Amino acid sequence: MTQVKDIEFKDDDFTFAHETNEKIIDKTYNTSSYAKDVWSHFIKNKGAVIGAVIIILIVIMAIVGPHLTGHTYKSIIIEHASLTPRIPFLENFGLFDGTFHGKNIYVEKGFQDIYYWFGADTQGRDIFTRVWEGTRISLIIAVTAVLIDIFVGMVYGLISGYFGGKIDMVMQRIAEILNGIPTLVIVTLLGLVLPRGIASIIFALMITGWIGMSRIARAQVLKLKEQEFILASKTLGAKNFAIIFKDILPNIFGQIIIMSMFSIPNAIFTEAFLSFVGLGVPAPMASLGSLISEGYKSMTIYPHMMMSAIIVLALLMLSLNLFADGLRDAFDPKMKQM
């Protein structure tokens, strides 16, 4: 056992606070809102910031890119067929100067003042214009389909999780039946039946795309509906749908945003797959998938016809996933461990 020595305290060892001349002030800390916390966490993630910058640049180019060269996505100039990339200024350094197998096609054909930044396809159409036009169409299709999926899946999951019981059982069995059929099979069959076009692709993508969103919404409702603030709302006489959309929905909005950002790359990939197999937008319209499909036919001879679309699609998919991952960590850092 340890021995404790006797300690003697003197009169001046302790001093009353009111007897000193020092002002005792409590330390105050600046409070920050939830939005500021999310932003501070997000900007610390360098991958997410880089992804966001790339997304912004791609969106800007999808808006202004088709108007930069003076060509339209469907303008055909047979004399310019299969021209390789030629970019001003860079050609002075031997890069993208129109050389193909050691020969400058532009000089041989007398096209000294003509530039195709991404080259021309087999029909003489400007690939640069078609790539950014295709990026615009792919983004419109994917974002529209995801927004519809968010609305349908959110409402479906909120109602199913809140009411529970037989309603939840029936609604979940319906979702499981739809989810049991592979998405690509449903989308492909609908692509064969429906007329080709943007509206048909959006409809095909939203058939099963809402199921993942409904599951996220239902899981969050099951976690929140027994909380004290929900009980307080019921006690005060709030109706069920008021509780669902005014009390529960604002508390799960972060998870919905995260899920939607992860859904956009999936929608873009599915649309690209449909266009690649010939079920996408009709010619002469273009999407990234159809451009890759067209370039694939001449890949061994003119690889530039598909490389630009592949690079844009890869950058878009990668940046969207990095951005979504950063949002997930910013809204809820614990989700990274799940």
Side-chain angles (χ1 to χ4, degrees), residues 56-246:
I56 293 172
L57 292 176
I58 290 177
V59 171
I60 291 174
M61 288 304 300
I63 296 172
V64 303
H67 307 288
L68 294 178
T69 61
H71 297 280
T72 64
Y73 69 91
K74 58 183 178 181
S75 59
I76 297 175
I77 305 176
I78 298 298
E79 293 80 6
H80 299 170
S82 304
L83 289 177
T84 53
R86 186 187 183 192
I87 303 175
F89 180 73
L90 292 180
E91 65 178 348
N92 298 328
F93 301 95
L95 300 173
F96 301 106
D97 57 355
T99 302
F100 181 69
H101 292 302
K103 298 180 181 179
N104 194 311
I105 304 176
Y106 289 84
V107 175
E108 290 185 355
K109 294 186 177 182
F111 301 150
Q112 284 84 356
D113 297 330
I114 295 175
Y115 293 89
Y116 283 96
W117 296 348
F118 288 172
D121 62 10
T122 54
Q123 299 184 42
R125 295 176 296 194
D126 182 26
I127 296 178
F128 181 88
T129 302
R130 288 178 61 78
V131 164
W132 296 120
E133 182 72 24
T135 304
R136 179 193 297 179
I137 291 176
S138 296
L139 286 172
I140 290 173
I141 292 173
V143 172
T144 304
V146 169
L147 289 176
I148 297 173
D149 291 342
I150 290 173
F151 177 76
V152 176
M154 181 183 64
V155 173
Y156 195 91
L158 287 172
I159 294 174
S160 176
Y162 181 80
F163 289 102
K166 294 182 178 179
I167 295 176
D168 181 47
M169 183 182 67
V170 172
M171 295 179 72
Q172 291 307 304
R173 297 299 82 76
I174 294 173
E176 288 177 3
I177 292 171
L178 289 175
N179 194 46
I181 306 173
T183 303
L184 287 179
V185 173
I186 297 176
V187 172
T188 304
L189 291 176
L190 286 174
L192 293 171
V193 174
L194 298 175
R196 294 175 64 185
I198 295 178
S200 300
I201 298 175
I202 292 174
F203 179 75
L205 290 175
M206 71 180 228
I207 290 295
T208 57
W210 57 270
I211 296 176
M213 185 65 64
S214 70
R215 288 180 173 176
I216 295 294
R218 177 178 177 271
Q220 295 298 318
V221 172
L222 292 176
K223 183 173 68 173
L224 293 175
K225 72 176 185 178
E226 301 299 333
Q227 296 291 327
E228 289 80 2
F229 69 95
I230 301 297
L231 179 60
S233 296
K234 290 181 179 178
T235 305
L236 293 173
K239 296 182 179 180
N240 291 327
F241 284 98
I243 295 174
I244 291 173
F245 293 104
K246 291 185 178 180

Side-chain angles (χ1 to χ4, degrees), residues 240-303:
N240 291 327
F241 284 98
I243 295 174
I244 291 173
F245 293 104
K246 291 185 178 180
D247 294 333
I248 296 178
L249 179 58
N251 286 280
I252 67 172
F253 203 68
Q255 286 73 18
I256 292 174
I257 293 175
I258 295 167
M259 186 65 184
S260 63
M261 292 307 303
F262 278 111
S263 299
I264 292 177
N266 294 331
I268 292 175
F269 175 79
T270 305
E271 183 278 328
F273 168 78
L274 285 176
S275 299
F276 184 81
V277 299
L279 300 176
V281 293
M285 296 178 65
S287 70
L288 292 176
S290 63
L291 290 172
I292 294 172
S293 179
E294 292 174 4
Y296 179 76
K297 300 173 184 177
S298 306
M299 179 181 65
T300 56
I301 303 175
Y302 302 107

